[in-house]
């Protein structure tokens, strides 16, 4: 099943109210002044990466496409806007027929980005493009933050599989988006069934401590689980005594026991002890899964341990300390009319405090060194230098209001793996540092 065919993950009348009120009041004023139809270019970018991060990860693009397609002002929404006196009657009439008919370009989902990268470019009339600001930023800021954390964890795991299990640590709908973003960033599976249904992400899960405590003994609990799920299941062995639980698990399930999970204690020490015990019991192929408030640093500290998989929750779905990417959506160029051939003039915010922006409709390319490793993010306006023509990053996502860039989530995940591999080796270091690539303006 193509996940895109499932529609939105929640039953909402539209995404049009996933916005801030001032988007609509700006629209009303622009309609009244006659400037609403001016051709405009908005860009999404961030002025800086979260402190210590070496690169960002673009995630949520597919969800943005869903949101744009479902940005409709149906009768119930229009009634709400009228009853609350948010906009006037002419604006309500304009909204009733709203469909985004512009163009969207952006970094392909899964790609990496740096300060100043034009991650997404929205072109159309001012009226239609300004309405999308909040919903686009909401999706990209959240999903890219989770994907960046997932990417760091994936790099730290060194090829060992990661399980996303953070649904109980965030909003129930954010949990679904977080699962998707984690998968983009390199996680292999999720515990969240809604994410499995919506995005066809592999789901996993067996039992919690409550299942053990439900039974009269740990032996009864293990026996019940193996009888139900088979010997290939994963048994949770740290409810009482880990050593005794491992012995009992192999006795009940046999040496073909799928895995044991450790959720507390000194994970490094316990992993070594449990591996030695499993091998002595003949369960040489039984895997060890560790959980318990892991982040990328804890995962890295277990690199030398005989751990086969990691389960990560809280730190993942909260961006491992950075729950947003601080992306902004700024008008960078506009024409004096709605004529598609009208000349665009650069515009930019000039302000104190580091919140200025660079005007002009931009392109971006990644320059490589002689070894094929990325050495700079080049951003410019006007003509693209010939030597960078085949290294451009932005791709067409929406043309004339129609989505043209749907792709399977596995393709996005593969793209991220390739993009990260093309960065300098220091990109995956967990020590604090500056962005691994400088941003140059051409």
């Amino acid at each position: 099943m193509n996940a895109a065919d499932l529609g939105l993950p929640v039953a909402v009348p539209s995404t049009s109210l996933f916005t801030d009120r001032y988007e609509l009041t700006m629209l009303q004023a622009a309609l009244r002044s006659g400037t609403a139809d001016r051709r405009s270019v908005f860009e999404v970018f961030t002025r800086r990466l979260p402190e210590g991060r070496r690169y960002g990860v673009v995630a949520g693009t597919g969800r943005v496409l869903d949101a744009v397609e479902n940005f409709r002002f149906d009768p119930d929404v229009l009634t709400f806007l009228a009853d609350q006196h948010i906009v006037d009657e002419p604006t309500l009439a304009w909204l009733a027929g709203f469909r985004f008919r512009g163009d969207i370009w952006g970094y392909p989902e899964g790609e990496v980005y740096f300060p100043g990268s034009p991650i997404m470019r929205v072109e159309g009339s001012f009226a239609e493009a300004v309405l999308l600001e909040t919903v686009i930023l909401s999706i990209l800021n959240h999903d890219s933050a989770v994907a960046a954390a997932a990417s760091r964890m994936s790099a730290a795991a060194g090829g060992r599989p990661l399980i996303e299990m953070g649904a109980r640590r965030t909003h129930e709908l954010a949990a679904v988006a977080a699962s998707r973003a984690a998968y983009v960033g390199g996680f292999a599976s999720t515990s969240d069934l809604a994410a499995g249904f919506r995005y066809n992400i592999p789901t996993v899960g067996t039992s919690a401590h409550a299942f053990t405590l439900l039974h009269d003994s740990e032996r009864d609990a293990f026996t019940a689980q193996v009888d139900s799920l088979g010997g290939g299941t994963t048994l949770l062995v740290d409810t009482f005594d880990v050593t005794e639980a491992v012995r009992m698990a192999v006795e009940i399930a046999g040496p073909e026991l799928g895995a044991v999970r450790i959720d507390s204690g000194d994970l490094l020490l316990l992993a070594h002890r449990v591996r030695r015990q499993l091998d002595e019991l003949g369960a040489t192929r039984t895997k060890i899964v560790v959980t318990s408030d892991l982040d990328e640093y804890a995962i890295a500290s277990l690199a030398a341990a005989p751990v086969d998989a990691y389960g990560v929750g809280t730190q993942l779905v909260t961006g491992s300390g950075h729950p947003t990417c601080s992306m902004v959506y700024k008008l960078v160029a506009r024409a004096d009319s709605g004529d598609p051939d009208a000349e665009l003039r650069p515009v930019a915010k000039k302000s104190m405090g580091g919140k200025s922006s660079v005007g002009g409709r931009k392109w971006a390319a990644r320059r490589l060194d002689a070894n094929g490793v990325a050495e700079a993010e080049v951003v410019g306006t006007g003509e693209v230098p010939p030597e960078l023509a085949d290294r451009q990053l932005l791709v067409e996502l929406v043309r004339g209001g129609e989505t043209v860039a749907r792709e399977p989530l596995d393709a996005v995940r593969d793209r991220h793996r390739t993009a990260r591999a093309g960065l300098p080796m220091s990109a995956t270091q967990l020590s604090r540092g500056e962005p691994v690539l400088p941003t140059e303006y051409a």
Side-chain angles (χ1 to χ4, degrees), residues 8 22 300 409:
L8 288 175
Y22 78 172
L409 197 56

Side-chain angles (χ1 to χ4, degrees), residues 190-363:
T190 179
S191 65
D192 189 71
L193 289 179
F197 171 75
R198 174 70 178 86
Y199 296 115
N200 201 31
I201 299 170
T203 61
V204 297
T206 52
S207 67
H209 292 103
F211 184 77
T212 300
L213 297 173
L214 167 69
H215 292 80
D216 295 334
S217 69
E218 194 169 43
R219 176 179 292 276
D220 289 346
F222 286 179
T223 300
Q225 183 174 326
V226 170
D227 285 348
S228 174
L229 301 178
T233 190
T234 299
L235 293 174
L236 181 59
V237 295
D238 72 322
T239 305
F240 303 116
D241 180 84
V242 173
T243 301
E244 176 59 19
V246 171
R247 185 197 64 76
M248 193 183 309
V250 176
E251 178 187 331
I252 293 169
E256 300 305 313
L257 171 65
V260 295
R261 178 164 74 95
I262 309 170
D263 187 52
S264 59
D266 185 333
L267 298 179
L268 179 61
L269 176 64
L270 287 172
H272 281 286
R273 287 180 176 175
V274 168
R275 180 72 272 158
R276 183 170 60 250
Q277 184 183 8
L278 287 169
D279 291 346
E280 290 171 351
L281 293 170
T284 57
R285 292 189 291 181
T286 298
K287 298 183 183 301
I288 297 175
V289 180
V290 296
T291 54
S292 185
D293 292 328
L294 299 177
D295 62 9
E296 59 266 50
Y297 301 100
I299 291 169
S301 74
L302 292 167
V307 172
D308 297 288
Y310 306 91
V312 190
T314 304
Q315 291 300 318
L316 174 64
V317 299
T318 56
S320 196
H322 298 287
T324 180
C325 301
S326 299
M327 293 179 185
V328 294
Y329 184 96
K330 297 298 181 183
L331 181 66
V332 297
R334 59 92 171 167
D336 293 329
S337 73
D339 184 344
D341 296 322
E343 182 180 357
L344 289 170
R345 62 176 67 186
V347 295
K349 176 181 179 180
K350 303 296 183 184
S351 65
M352 304 294 287
K355 297 186 72 172
S356 61
S357 56
V358 178
R361 181 179 185 271
K362 300 174 193 67
W363 52 263

